[in-house]
Amino acid sequence: MKKQESSFYQIIWRWHFYAGLIFAPFIFILAVTGSVYLFKPQIEQWMYKDYYHVEQQHHKMLPSGQIEAVRQQYPEAQVTKYRPGESSTRSAEVKINMHGESLTVFVDPYTGEIMGELNDKNRLIDRIEEFHGELMLGTVGDRIVELTACWTIILIVTGIYLWSPKGKRTIAGVLIPRFSSGRKNLIRDLHVVPGFWLSAAILFLVITGLLWSGLWGTKVQYFATNAGVGYPPSVWVGSAPTTIVKTKEIADVPWAAQNLDVPQSQLQGYIPLSIDDVVTITNGQNIHPTYTVIFPKKPEGVYTISVFPPRARDEATLHIDQYTGAILADYRYDHYQQIGKLMAWGITVHKGLEYGLPNQILGLIVCIGIVGLVVSGFILWWKRKPIGHLGAPKSPGLKKIKGLVVILTLFGIAFPLVGVSLVFVYVLDRFVIQRVDRLKRVFNA
């Protein structure tokens, strides 16, 4: 019995070891970029203060006047979005497309003065977000990040098993590091003990981060919509639309609204509403002031209002008929089903927005802890690594780990990229590593 337990312990150690060795660099990148992104509001407020801040005056210009000021300076540009600004001292933003590039133009809403422009591809935090979400490699990077997140779950589970006290009756080395028990034990404790304390928080960040992933996150959205735990039919003021266009295809909206069907403007041929009318209608809907108006791209298109507030409960997505001003869909946090609310809350906590500065500081602590786990894990491995092979316990073979294979198979079904990677590892081990003596020694296969 003890031999079986020892063998199982070695198997878990082997999985934890190789998962850590392969994915540690990506986990390190995600932790560092995530810690910076947490402070996006403060960083952008500091970087773009000359664009953001305006002196409050008695009356603001109409939105159409602000946009006209932009059009005069950029006559060849196409206006795509308008953001009024959430306070009396905040500039308005007009997003334009010009010569194939997306620019944000900052406008003083009192005077119409153009305060400056930013090419969206040069916004530092956006690039950090892109690096965090897809390593700046597009779809390939997105899949790598998703795979890393999934394997991080395996690292957490196997790490908890390896950490779990086995006959120990002291908290030293289990709940607190042993600072006076030699360097070898200290390095081990600085990896194992923080790993235990941070495991729940890391798991939370992984799951909420996976919601944005291109494969798993999209599947969850699809499931939520089709299982009736996504948006309810009651969000439609009239009949539900018959289009197959999803809101995420025309606008950047909250996660729970991304699969919301886009309605059509019905009375084509009439004079479209002005942006002034759209802003007036929106302001009358008790909506959070951080909203953005996305302009319709086609005659049958709609104005879309997207709100990214600090707190999930203030999220909203509206579709407005561009000819009549009728609100065709008004989708708020209160309409979300319980899973949708939980996910919306998890996303805003993940981004450090839901509870303000304490949320950001707690997120930063977790990110620093993850970096510490990666570094201490590498040192732990390097100090103990024998000459000639990587130092992982010997592979016991699939026949001796049937129970674990079942668990991994189920996990691979729940997280398809993990399943694909497991098949890849099996084929690599079976047909390459096991047949090359040198590789067999290195991997202790």
Side-chain angles (χ1 to χ4, degrees), residues 177-423:
R178 292 166 291 182
F179 290 99
S180 58
S181 187
R183 180 180 296 180
K184 187 176 179 180
N185 284 334
L186 180 60
I187 295 174
R188 177 262 180 199
D189 290 358
L190 289 178
H191 181 74
V192 174
V193 175
F196 161 71
W197 287 112
L198 292 172
S199 57
I202 297 173
L203 184 62
F204 173 82
L205 291 180
V206 168
I207 295 297
T208 51
L210 274 171
L211 294 174
W212 283 301
S213 62
L215 191 63
W216 191 83
T218 301
K219 292 294 183 186
V220 171
Q221 279 183 334
Y222 181 80
F223 171 79
T225 300
N226 289 280
V229 294
Y231 63 86
S234 60
V235 300
W236 304 109
V237 176
S239 301
T242 57
T243 64
I244 58 173
V245 178
K246 304 300 180 186
T247 300
K248 64 182 177 183
E249 297 175 30
I250 64 168
D252 190 16
V253 295
W255 186 88
Q258 290 184 348
N259 276 334
L260 185 70
D261 292 336
V262 178
Q264 293 182 340
S265 294
Q266 297 300 316
L267 300 177
Q268 301 170 33
Y270 285 67
I271 298 174
L273 294 173
S274 70
I275 183 63
D276 304 330
D277 295 328
V278 175
V279 169
T280 299
I281 292 170
T282 304
N283 289 339
Q285 300 305 308
N286 189 29
I287 204 166
H288 197 275
T290 56
Y291 69 86
T292 296
V293 179
I294 295 95
F295 285 67
K297 294 180 180 177
K298 299 179 180 178
E300 67 274 18
V302 293
Y303 282 102
T304 298
I305 312 300
S306 176
V307 186
F308 276 106
R311 298 182 305 176
R313 71 187 66 175
D314 295 323
E315 288 183 0
T317 302
L318 278 66
H319 290 303
I320 299 176
D321 189 306
Q322 66 166 311
Y323 302 107
T324 67
I327 298 175
L328 303 177
D330 184 351
Y331 188 32
R332 310 285 180 116
Y333 175 82
D334 288 342
H335 294 121
Y336 299 176
Q337 301 300 306
Q338 288 304 316
I339 291 179
K341 288 181 178 178
L342 182 63
M343 291 179 174
W345 171 82
I347 287 173
T348 53
V349 173
H350 183 111
K351 295 167 75 173
L353 296 173
E354 185 72 25
Y355 302 110
L357 187 59
N359 193 163
Q360 292 173 306
I361 293 175
L362 186 59
L364 178 63
I365 292 172
V366 176
C367 288
I368 292 174
I370 294 172
V371 170
L373 289 174
V374 172
V375 173
S376 60
F378 177 81
I379 295 174
L380 189 62
W381 166 67
W382 189 256
K383 291 288 185 182
R384 297 185 176 188
K385 189 182 85 63
I387 298 174
H389 65 88
L390 294 174
K394 188 171 178 58
S395 173
L398 290 179
K399 293 181 180 178
K400 297 182 179 179
I401 56 172
K402 293 179 180 176
L404 190 59
V405 170
V406 173
I407 294 173
L408 288 173
T409 301
L410 294 175
F411 194 82
I413 294 173
F415 299 94
L417 281 183
V418 173
V420 172
S421 66
L422 287 172
V423 172

Side-chain angles (χ1 to χ4, degrees), residues 11-49:
I11 295 166
I12 298 298
W13 182 13
R14 185 177 175 84
W15 280 96
H16 187 80
F17 173 84
Y18 279 119
L21 201 61
I22 295 170
F23 291 102
F26 301 111
I27 295 172
F28 183 89
I29 290 172
L30 294 178
V32 172
T33 53
S35 65
V36 176
Y37 186 79
L38 278 170
F39 295 90
K40 173 182 178 179
Q42 291 90 340
I43 293 172
E44 291 201 324
Q45 185 67 40
W46 173 74
M47 290 182 66
Y48 308 131
K49 58 181 182 296

Side-chain angles (χ1 to χ4, degrees), residues 73-224:
Q73 186 148 333
Y74 303 88
E76 299 178 3
Q78 177 189 10
V79 176
T80 58
K81 299 178 184 177
Y82 171 72
R83 186 179 187 277
E86 60 270 34
S87 72
S88 58
T89 58
R90 178 67 161 81
S91 62
E93 297 179 16
V94 179
K95 188 151 300 218
I96 60 174
N97 278 339
M98 190 168 71
H99 305 312
E101 296 196 322
S102 177
L103 306 177
T104 300
V105 182
F106 297 88
V107 185
D108 186 326
Y110 298 100
T111 66
E113 175 192 358
I114 305 300
M115 303 170 66
E117 66 171 51
L118 281 174
N119 189 320
D120 291 341
K121 71 179 182 181
N122 295 331
R123 297 186 77 140
L124 175 64
I125 297 299
D126 286 356
R127 299 290 72 74
I128 290 175
E129 181 183 13
E130 187 180 355
F131 199 34
H132 184 74
E134 55 188 37
L135 306 174
M136 303 188 82
L137 295 174
T139 301
V140 173
D142 175 85
R143 300 296 186 268
I144 294 174
V145 170
E146 181 175 333
L147 187 62
T148 300
C150 294
W151 274 93
T152 302
I153 297 174
I154 295 178
L155 274 169
I156 293 171
V157 173
T158 53
I160 289 294
Y161 177 83
L162 297 174
W163 161 87
S164 60
K166 297 172 180 61
K168 291 185 177 180
R169 296 182 182 277
T170 175
I171 62 172
V174 178
L175 298 179
I176 58 173
R178 292 166 291 182
F179 290 99
S180 58
S181 187
R183 180 180 296 180
K184 187 176 179 180
N185 284 334
L186 180 60
I187 295 174
R188 177 262 180 199
D189 290 358
L190 289 178
H191 181 74
V192 174
V193 175
F196 161 71
W197 287 112
L198 292 172
S199 57
I202 297 173
L203 184 62
F204 173 82
L205 291 180
V206 168
I207 295 297
T208 51
L210 274 171
L211 294 174
W212 283 301
S213 62
L215 191 63
W216 191 83
T218 301
K219 292 294 183 186
V220 171
Q221 279 183 334
Y222 181 80
F223 171 79

